[in-house]
Amino acid sequence: MLNNKTLSYYIETWGCQMNEEDSEKLSGMLKNIGCIRTEVKEQADIIIFNTCAVRENAELKVFGNLGALKKLKEERPDLIIALCGCMMQQKDMSETIIKKYPFVDIIFGTHNSYKFPEYLNRVRQEGKSVIEIFDKEEGIVEGIPVDRKSDIKAFVTIMYGCNNFCTYCVVPYVRGRERSRKPVEIIREIKSLVALGYKEITLLGQNVNSYGKGLEEDVDFAKLLRMVNEIEGLERIRFMTSHPKDLSLDVIYAIRDCEKICNQIHLPVQSGSSAILKKMNRSYDREQYLELVRTIKREIPDVALTTDIIVGFPGETEEDFEDTLNLVKEVEYDSAFTFIYSRRKYTPADKMEEQIDDKVKHDRFNRLIEVVNEISAKINKSYQDKVVKVLVEGKSKNDETKLMGRTTTGKLVNFVGPEDSIGNVIDVKITKALTFSLNGEAI
Ligand code: 5AD
Ligand code: SF4
């Protein structure tokens, strides 16, 4: 409670799981000081936008939403507007925003979000805007309360930042250098989640395979996976994201050997052309990636592979693009996040010559999606009439009479079943396969 009034807050989150996780922490801190969450923006006393900078589109959405708040702030001058996340961490961004949107009250970055309650207090007491961005990451701040969206599955960050500097990507500039949480902190957090009834955890990091570097403890990602697998009461373990250059045999064996680790690996390829991969600074070529995929499939035959792909990177020729299409056909991804290359200021790729024409980019994007979806539909069809194990997460989004959950391979299943199965792993018979999901019946 601040100044004796219970404040309500609204959080809108753009971008990746890291941002979702940061928002869960912001919400946890606000609940801790007596604020209550609302999903109705117009009614909130505090509006927080947790922003993303990975693509221009994400930034444009933030600007659009900010513009729409001007009127609300005029009607209710007490309203507190706060901006945070990756976009704020970019050079000159906070100055630009304050000039264009002077009604913003608080701006902070990715390295100091734990200070948000303090900034809120300052604004309420002093009535002046607070802008604070740390240029560099500090140590890891443990013990921040987390207000999680689900009470069945949870995300647990195991490492922050990225050292890879792919030439298109802003993440290393806005999230700082790689640093790992101590294994005892991670295990403690997961055990306390299991005690609360959580059944699935996803270990999160920009590059989970380099987990453990720089820690005093003799631990790497494979070891961590095996430690987490030992936790009693936990049903499922997922993780993301894996950089192909760092996915070791030890990790593949851990996935194969540990019964709780799901049969799914997200392995961003970005491009199927060795020349483009080189320009992207990905540190592997097409053949090395395909060899890794062959090893994974040999060791874990029922694995589901998913990926991220960028089309229209500077210099990408029709042949380079066809290499990507062919690689997608060869690997047969269960699904893929596909992106049109977006120029990001201060990244090396932004300065590269041969930027690709928008029309060509869109055309390639559409052709890629067609191939990706065709394969997804084909893989989903292979589930028809099969019985699969589903962790039941709750009611279906589009049909309240049905339940939804996921297979170990990450397939979304909407099915008819008993409500008391929520939170359990049950057998579901697949009755219909769609491109992006499966329908079924509990048996
Ligand atoms: N343009 C398009 N896509 C990008 N990604 C990262 N930076 C860019 C960019 N500048 C994609 C990558 C990454 C995913 C999270 O976002 O595919 O894996
Ligand atoms: Fe960005 Fe590459 Fe780091 Fe992923 S590995 S966050 S794409 S720089």
Side-chain angles (χ1 to χ4, degrees):
M1 197 105 71
L2 294 155
N3 299 352
N4 298 326
K5 181 184 180 275
T6 302
L7 296 175
S8 62
Y9 63 94
Y10 169 90
I11 309 182
E12 189 142 346
T13 311
W14 285 273
C16 69
Q17 220 47 65
M18 285 286 177
N19 261 16
E20 292 288 346
E21 168 78 349
D22 286 347
S23 287
E24 288 185 342
K25 286 187 179 149
L26 289 171
S27 183
M29 287 188 288
L30 288 172
K31 279 201 175 157
N32 232 21
I33 56 168
C35 301
I36 48 166
R37 187 171 187 143
T38 171
E39 298 308 322
V40 189
K41 192 171 14 181
E42 291 70 22
Q43 286 172 7
D45 299 305
I46 308 163
I47 296 178
I48 306 161
F49 286 167
N50 190 358
T51 64
C52 168
V54 162
R55 282 170 294 275
E56 193 188 10
N57 259 350
E59 289 191 355
L60 295 177
K61 277 187 205 147
V62 171
F63 287 132
N65 276 271
L66 253 184
L69 289 188
K70 187 170 182 236
K71 205 164 144 264
L72 207 59
K73 180 82 178 179
E74 278 166 5
E75 287 163 11
R76 293 202 286 120
D78 279 352
L79 170 69
I80 294 173
I81 298 174
L83 298 178
C84 61
C86 294
M87 197 174 150
M88 300 307 123
Q89 205 66 44
Q90 286 186 298
K91 211 169 137 211
D92 304 330
M93 184 56 83
S94 52
E95 290 84 346
T96 309
I97 287 184
I98 278 300
K99 248 187 233 149
K100 258 176 110 176
Y101 308 94
F103 53 85
V104 170
D105 300 284
I106 306 174
I107 298 183
F108 57 100
T110 55
H111 304 309
N112 55 341
S113 52
Y114 67 94
K115 289 186 142 203
F116 181 52
E118 179 192 318
Y119 299 149
L120 193 58
N121 237 340
R122 256 165 60 192
V123 165
R124 285 174 52 81
Q125 275 168 11
E126 297 164 17
K128 285 194 301 221
S129 320
V130 176
I131 301 171
E132 194 161 282
I133 317 268
F134 294 177
D135 283 347
K136 266 207 174 108
E137 67 278 1
E138 295 184 327
I140 292 170
V141 182
E142 291 288 354
I144 298 177
V146 191
D147 174 33
R148 299 181 196 270
K149 268 201 187 133
S150 160
D151 43 20
I152 292 165
K153 52 182 202 173
F155 291 96
V156 172
T157 308
I158 62 163
M159 59 179 304
Y160 298 87
C162 181
N163 287 356
N164 290 320
F165 291 94
C166 302
T167 53
Y168 50 80
C169 187
V170 292
V171 168
Y173 306 95
V174 296
R175 290 261 170 195
R177 296 294 64 73
E178 277 176 12
R179 56 231 184 260
S180 295
R181 282 179 79 191
K182 286 179 171 297
V184 340
E185 296 287 355
I186 296 168
I187 300 295
R188 190 189 47 75
E189 182 174 354
I190 299 173
K191 281 189 176 162
S192 68
L193 287 166
V194 171
L196 288 170
Y198 281 86
K199 296 290 166 57
E200 177 182 304
I201 56 114
T202 302
L203 304 172
L204 268 190
Q206 304 294 349
N207 182 13
V208 288
N209 297 289
S210 63
Y211 172 77
K213 283 184 191 150
L215 283 179
E216 281 166 18
E217 295 84 348
D218 175 27
V219 63
D220 60 12
F221 187 52
K223 265 196 190 170
L224 182 73
L225 281 173
R226 288 182 189 272
M227 283 158 76
V228 176
N229 190 59
E230 294 298 310
I231 297 177
E232 230 165 276
L234 183 64
E235 296 267 358
R236 286 181 168 186
I237 303 163
R238 298 186 191 276
F239 57 89
M240 60 183 199
T241 289
S242 289
H243 194 304
K245 80 175 165 60
D246 295 319
L247 183 72
S248 66
L249 266 180
D250 278 351
V251 169
I252 297 173
Y253 295 154
I255 303 168
R256 180 196 65 189
D257 299 343
C258 299
E259 77 285 0
K260 291 177 187 168
I261 303 179
C262 291
N263 284 341
Q264 181 193 6
I265 306 179
H266 185 61
L267 197 62
V269 66
Q270 311 298 359
S271 168
S273 150
S274 292
I276 296 297
L277 287 169
K278 194 158 197 281
K279 288 181 80 179
M280 286 177 162
N281 191 30
R282 289 292 289 176
S283 313
Y284 55 85
D285 63 18
R286 174 191 175 88
E287 206 26 62
Q288 285 165 327
Y289 184 91
L290 287 172
E291 182 55 32
L292 180 62
V293 167
R294 282 192 285 271
T295 308
I296 293 171
K297 288 189 174 179
R298 187 186 65 227
E299 298 298 331
I300 318 163
D302 48 357
V303 73
L305 288 173
T306 56
T307 200
D308 293 347
I309 302 168
I310 298 175
V311 298
F313 186 82
E316 185 188 69
T317 62
E318 176 60 22
E319 288 72 41
D320 291 322
F321 175 66
E322 281 170 16
D323 280 349
T324 299
L325 285 183
N326 290 332
L327 181 134
V328 168
K329 287 179 193 158
E330 185 167 342
V331 175
E332 296 208 306
Y333 293 106
D334 280 64
S335 66
F337 295 104
T338 47
F339 306 105
I340 291 176
Y341 168 69
S342 171
R343 290 179 81 157
R344 305 282 60 211
K345 235 186 189 175
Y346 312 117
T347 60
D350 184 41
K351 292 169 209 95
M352 288 180 188
E353 284 166 16
E354 302 178 273
Q355 297 286 334
I356 306 293
D357 177 75
D358 262 357
K359 196 184 159 305
V360 174
K361 280 189 198 170
H362 280 92
D363 176 57
R364 288 180 186 165
F365 182 71
N366 292 334
R367 285 161 65 199
L368 176 63
I369 287 185
E370 211 171 292
V371 172
V372 164
N373 290 351
E374 209 173 288
I375 296 167
S376 297
K378 183 180 129 193
I379 294 177
N380 278 4
K381 268 232 156 66
S382 70
Y383 280 77
Q384 180 81 41
D385 300 326
K386 284 205 177 127
V387 175
V388 289
K389 297 239 173 276
V390 170
L391 171 59
V392 189
E393 291 175 23
K395 296 234 172 100
S396 251
K397 292 244 156 57
N398 300 327
D399 182 351
E400 284 271 300
T401 65
K402 286 190 180 156
L403 299 174
M404 60 77 72
R406 284 184 191 270
T407 64
T408 171
T409 49
K411 303 281 173 204
L412 174 66
V413 187
N414 290 300
F415 64 97
V416 181
E419 246 180 63
D420 62 3
S421 65
I422 293 175
N424 295 322
V425 177
I426 63 160
D427 285 331
V428 175
K429 182 166 182 185
I430 301 305
T431 51
K432 191 172 182 191
L434 308 163
T435 305
F436 303 111
S437 64
L438 304 168
N439 290 348
E441 281 164 15
I443 56 168

